[in-house]
Amino acid sequence: MPARADDHYGLPPQGGAWPLSLAVLAALLALWWAAARFGWVSPLFLPGPGRVWRTFLWLCSDQATGGGLAGHVLASLGRVLGAFLLAVAIALPLGLGMGLNRLLRAGLDPLLEFYRPLPPLAYLPLTVLWLGIGEAQKLLLLTLAMAPPLALAARAGVRAVAVEQLHAAYAMGASRRQALLWVVLPAALPDILIGLRIGLGFGWTTLVAAEMVAAERGLGQMVLNASNFLRTDIMMVGILVIGLIAMAFDGAMRLLARRLTPWHGKQ
Amino acid sequence: MPRLVVDQLSMRYPAGAGGVAALEDISFTLEPGEIRVVLGASGCGKTTLLNALAGFLPPSSGRILLDGRPLAGPGAERGVVLQKQALFPWLTAGGNVEFPLRLRGWPRARRRAEAEAWLARLGLEGCHGQPLHQLSGGMRQRVELARALAADPAILLLDEPFGALDAFTRESLQCLLLTLWRDSGKSLFFITHSVEEAAFLGSTVMVLSPRPGRVIHESALTFNRAFLQGGDARAVKADPAFIAAREQLLEAVHASQG
Ligand SMILES: Nc1ncnc2c1ncn2[C@@H]1O[C@H](COP(=O)(O)OP(=O)(O)OP(=O)(O)O)[C@@H](O)[C@H]1O
Ligand SMILES: [Mg+2]
């Protein structure tokens, strides 16, 4: 590959080559199509792309039972976004506090260290026991799942500020409050945005699993329910939609980060 | 105008067994309206001294008095230009220069006009909206100087502020700094590696020994005044008296290395 203008000598090359990416995607699609068309795999296990597409259209129409795809998507999105806002409101201030305050850090660290690596599915039954399988339980579970990455990111972000930057601010007459708002927080923003992206992705993963265990609606429930009726086509639609939404979340958060922290990684 | 008195100051870092002695028994006064230049080998404690004067590091022993009172941390009357770059990358070049004015609650339009004037004075006209990562090292250094000057402190502490500049820009900024000094009556504490710069700028030049730094030489010079009267830096620097003073400083630095 020839070096490109935006490459830095010696650094691994940036970006990709989208024609290649497209070609790989097209090849996979063709393989899938061929597997179904020539009967390499039974349609019970792997329906072809055409079949999945028609099921998708059917699920989008009103004839589908149970409110159709839109109902499931809205249920899942509502849960994850609601819990995301709640987690941000709780975990970001706590994480910032941990970064700034020795006592808060000492107090919360053991808790966070224990429960951050804990898979949310481990305490899922407990939340069901407490709150049943309604929306409150989803909200609690997801908030608990998303809070640690957010808190840790905010905590790490506070450390990102260079001591020279703070010194310069104080020597210009900044108060503690001004230094916090105008130096520490902007310096922490890139880390915080990375935390938001990771938190949202993790929340989505957890949600789909939680909906399979206990829910009446939602994409996870749709996939699980379809498997009970051997509707592999519906399962495939569900999987594709879940993946596409996850990608959309990630892309949106990346875009937001590029908008809000254009300086990040350009030192 | 405030007076900064350093009285038997020693600084040590806790690192290692028994700590690292960085400065030992330093005494001097930064008189109002003086330019005190510090020369010394790398690692002799110049930056440590600046950090102590700014109030970022407490004295290990001895005292630093500002108008008779011990320092209680940093303050807006003591501005800094630090050796390590300390600009805010989330702000544009102009946003950085406006920062101290924003701290004081200046209205936006006035802030912007002031920042643009400072940038222009430092040869950065039109850079107000530029993101920092698009500026060269020397341009960023000038943005830092512009920011410190916009904050308008009575005492300015500068740590090798012209280190990344070419000889021509460096000289023009030396001249600018002297003009600003005359017009504002600020006191400057100026760290440099360049003996010529020291002789040109200093009202007093102080040479430190290698670590632990002590004051081993002090000269009072008037070439800054000579420049401000004559207006020709090249003429001042070519003057035999200047060359003699420069060589004497160089000798003191060499002698300090033992
Ligand atoms: N945080 C620290 N902990 C331990 N030792 C330190 C620390 N900072 C500086 N020192 C030591 O103190 C001495 C003085 O450092 P300082 O940065 O003041 O030197 P300097 O004169 O500014 O050097 P230069 O001209 O290279 O900038 C050095 O020998 C260094 O090893
Ligand atoms: Mg230094």
Side-chain angles (χ1 to χ4, degrees), chain B residues 46-47 83 159-160:
Chain B
K46 304 181 294 296
T47 298
Q83 184 173 20
D159 201 346
E160 298 182 33

Side-chain angles (χ1 to χ4, degrees), chain B residues 13 15 20 22 40-49 83 160 193 211:
Chain B
Y13 288 103
V20 179
S42 180
C44 75
K46 304 181 294 296
T47 298
T48 307
L49 181 55
Q83 184 173 20
E160 298 182 33
H193 277 141
R211 197 183 76 192

Side-chain angles (χ1 to χ4, degrees), chain B residues 42-82:
Chain B
S42 180
C44 75
K46 304 181 294 296
T47 298
T48 307
L49 181 55
L50 183 136
N51 280 329
L53 296 181
F56 304 143
L57 287 175
S60 305
S61 71
R63 298 181 306 167
I64 304 175
L65 305 172
L66 180 67
D67 285 334
R69 274 203 302 264
L71 287 185
E77 75 289 335
R78 279 162 292 138
V80 294
V81 174
L82 298 173

Side-chain angles (χ1 to χ4, degrees), chain A residues 161-175 178-179 181-188 260 262-264 266-267, chain B residues 51 54 56 74-80 82 84-91 96 99-100 102-104 133 147-148 151 153:
Chain A
V161 67
V163 64
E164 288 80 14
Q165 291 173 329
L166 277 176
H167 282 174
Y170 284 124
M172 288 184 269
S175 65
Q178 286 172 322
L181 290 180
W182 295 351
V183 182
V184 175
L185 285 189
L260 292 181
W263 72 88
H264 187 51
K266 288 186 187 157
Q267 282 309 305
Chain B
N51 280 329
F56 304 143
E77 75 289 335
R78 279 162 292 138
V80 294
L82 298 173
K84 256 206 201 147
Q85 97 115 358
L87 292 170
F88 306 130
W90 50 90
L91 300 175
N96 270 278
F99 187 87
R102 216 167 97 206
L103 291 176
R104 275 160 227 179
H133 63 85
R147 184 176 70 173

Side-chain angles (χ1 to χ4, degrees), chain B residues 152-202:
Chain B
D152 194 26
I155 299 174
L156 193 51
L157 312 168
L158 306 127
D159 201 346
E160 298 182 33
F162 302 153
L165 301 177
D166 64 279
F168 177 77
T169 310
R170 188 169 183 144
E171 185 159 287
S172 72
L173 284 184
Q174 289 168 353
C175 298
L176 176 75
L177 190 69
L178 287 180
T179 317
L180 291 170
W181 169 64
R182 178 193 58 199
D183 297 344
S184 66
K186 291 184 197 304
S187 322
L188 307 185
F189 180 86
F190 192 106
I191 297 174
T192 179
H193 277 141
S194 158
V195 176
E196 188 195 70
E197 187 164 80
F200 184 58
L201 294 179

Side-chain angles (χ1 to χ4, degrees), chain A residues 17 24 35 60 70 97 107 141 159 186 196 218 261:
Chain A
V24 170
C60 290
L141 180 77
R159 305 245 97 186
L196 291 184
T261 59

Side-chain angles (χ1 to χ4, degrees), chain A residues 90-100 104 108 150-156 158:
Chain A
I90 296 169
L92 271 195
L94 276 182
L96 290 173
M98 286 175 77
L100 294 167
L104 208 55
L108 291 179
L150 298 188
L152 285 176
R155 182 196 149 156
V158 169

